[in-house]
Amino acid sequence: MALNFREQLQKDEATFFNCSELATEILIDDQRIPVIICNNELKERRVKEADGTYTEELILLVQKNYFKKKPEEGQKIRINNEQYYVLECGVQMTTYKMTVDKNRSW
């Protein structure tokens, strides 16, 4: 029997978020979550320097079911025990596409 669109999407998503395929498991706010890190979209993992401070952006695809609600701009989240700030978060079907940023001072 052929799968309908929703069933096929769920099957494809399971493949993408499989840590043996494209996903990487990271710790977000004390929860281990498979995510897809979109390094290509950033053209490299950008590091910006300015007056002894640098920021580091990441773009993550995360399944929505790991969050109680959509992360909001400016929200603090911990990724692998380091603090990041949500710059933006969009919805792409069953996933969130989050751009996060980390600030450090030297």
Side-chain angles (χ1 to χ4, degrees):
M1 184 169 135
L3 300 176
N4 67 32
F5 178 74
R6 183 176 296 265
E7 292 168 334
Q8 185 62 49
L9 181 64
Q10 289 171 339
K11 182 179 174 187
D12 291 345
E13 185 177 270
T15 300
F16 291 128
F17 284 97
N18 180 335
C19 289
S20 297
E21 296 290 335
L22 298 174
T24 302
E25 187 175 80
I26 64 174
L27 191 64
I28 297 180
D29 292 335
D30 300 323
Q31 183 178 358
R32 295 210 169 274
I33 299 176
V35 302
I36 297 171
I37 301 172
C38 302
N39 287 332
N40 291 341
E41 193 165 333
L42 285 173
K43 296 180 185 168
E44 282 186 17
R45 202 166 155 165
R46 295 187 308 207
V47 176
K48 303 172 195 169
E49 294 185 29
D51 300 325
T53 302
Y54 78 85
T55 62
E56 184 177 335
E57 290 182 5
L58 294 173
I59 297 176
L60 307 174
L61 293 177
V62 184
Q63 292 171 298
K64 288 168 49 176
N65 61 315
Y66 285 100
F67 292 88
K68 292 179 183 174
K69 63 179 188 170
K70 180 182 170 204
E72 296 184 16
E73 183 178 331
Q75 180 179 334
K76 295 178 188 177
I77 61 172
R78 294 194 60 75
I79 298 175
N80 291 334
N81 295 315
E82 295 191 55
Q83 186 166 289
Y84 283 78
Y85 298 89
V86 177
L87 295 179
E88 61 184 348
C89 182
V91 178
Q92 294 185 341
M93 296 173 127
T94 60
T95 64
Y96 290 130
K97 181 179 180 181
M98 290 193 302
T99 302
V100 297
D101 187 27
K102 173 172 65 173
N103 293 317
R104 280 193 210 166
S105 294
W106 296 102

